[in-house]
Amino acid sequence: MLEIKSFTFNPFAENTYLLYDETKEALVIDPGCYEKQEKGELLDFITKNDLSPVKLINTHCHIDHVLGNAFVKSTFDIPLWYHEEEEAVLQAVSSYAANYGFAQYQPSKADHYIREGEWIKFGNTQLLSIWVPGHSPGHLVFYHEESASCIGGDALFQGSIGRTDLPGGDHETLIRSIRQKLFALPDEVLVYPGHGPNTRIGDEKETNPFVGKSAFS
Ligand SMILES: [Zn+2]
Ligand SMILES: [Zn+2]
């Protein structure tokens, strides 16, 4: 059975996710840990639960989601995967990290580019990669059908959507991505976003002021 553990790290209050199942294999998604204490919190949980991370993946590569990439990659000697269109987004982080107060930022690079429709496998679990551009060009979400859950990054939030004023962002594209891709998932699917609390697809279809019914009536 899939277990989803969330951590909230760094001054952006970014949600980092650790997914694992009965095999104890684990997947790290968007590690935002930067401070020693944050890295320790992630490590402690992995050690106490006897987990073996096998892959590191990014929904997208804004600074708040990748601060811990190099740390996780080197600590567990695991490959880093993300969408090819996030390559420039990730490499740009080195140029501005210090301005945001992250002078100790360590860069990282992809070992594999995830394509839309590709399955992300660990243990007995597999997640479907769905391309949801708009907040950033290569933004992916990861859907687990059996448990009706979706790691959503910064596309759809409870009562909101991702910002689109950063390089590579596009508001119309994001609206279309959410309505065509995310709203095609079953209503009961629980979205685990990059910031803030979880929400259900059905609830956002009803009430989200940017992409829900009210926005188009
Ligand atoms: Zn973002
Ligand atoms: Zn974010």
Side-chain angles (χ1 to χ4, degrees):
M1 202 184 93
L2 176 65
E3 304 281 352
I4 301 176
K5 165 71 179 171
S6 71
F7 304 83
T8 302
F9 289 141
N10 73 53
F12 297 97
E14 183 267 353
N15 295 330
T16 293
Y17 294 102
L18 183 69
L19 277 57
Y20 56 101
D21 69 12
E22 61 281 357
T23 67
K24 302 275 187 186
E25 285 197 1
L27 181 67
V28 182
I29 306 181
D30 290 356
C33 44
Y34 178 75
E35 300 293 344
K36 193 168 180 226
Q37 158 266 325
E38 293 174 333
K39 292 171 179 170
E41 194 184 331
L42 179 65
L43 279 190
D44 278 358
F45 186 89
I46 290 169
T47 306
K48 280 187 185 135
N49 290 279
D50 198 22
L51 302 176
S52 300
V54 294
K55 283 185 187 91
L56 164 61
I57 63 176
N58 292 142
T59 58
H60 69 298
C61 295
H62 287 149
I63 188 167
D64 49 327
H65 297 252
V66 303
L67 284 166
N69 267 10
F71 166 73
V72 169
K73 203 167 164 354
S74 64
T75 301
F76 300 105
D77 193 22
I78 55 176
L80 168 60
W81 292 15
Y82 49 79
H83 191 283
E84 187 168 12
E85 288 200 48
E86 290 301 298
E87 187 62 55
V89 178
L90 179 58
Q91 299 319 322
V93 173
S94 297
S95 67
Y96 69 78
N99 297 337
Y100 279 82
F102 303 104
Q104 306 302 317
Y105 171 74
Q106 292 187 310
S108 53
K109 272 191 71 175
D111 297 288
H112 170 74
Y113 292 133
I114 304 169
R115 296 175 309 279
E116 173 158 51
E118 186 168 343
W119 292 96
I120 309 292
K121 297 175 184 170
F122 64 96
N124 296 325
T125 303
Q126 55 177 11
L127 310 176
L128 180 63
S129 307
I130 304 172
W131 183 43
V132 184
H135 172 69
S136 73
H139 191 296
L140 293 165
V141 305
F142 304 103
Y143 174 49
H144 185 248
E145 186 177 4
E146 293 82 349
S147 66
S149 40
C150 181
I151 306 301
D154 290 357
L156 179 67
F157 300 123
Q158 185 189 74
S160 189
I161 60 173
R163 60 188 287 187
T164 51
D165 57 333
L166 298 168
D170 185 80
H171 186 72
E172 296 307 317
T173 303
L174 179 58
I175 301 273
R176 194 167 57 242
S177 291
I178 293 171
R179 300 196 92 215
Q180 290 180 353
K181 305 268 187 78
L182 294 185
F183 284 1
L185 300 176
D187 281 355
E188 66 271 21
V189 169
L190 189 60
V191 178
Y192 293 77
H195 303 269
N198 299 343
T199 188
R200 293 206 187 265
I201 291 290
D203 292 340
E204 297 308 317
K205 272 188 190 169
E206 282 297 318
T207 62
N208 189 291
F210 299 94
V211 285
K213 273 183 184 168
S214 60
F216 296 90
S217 58

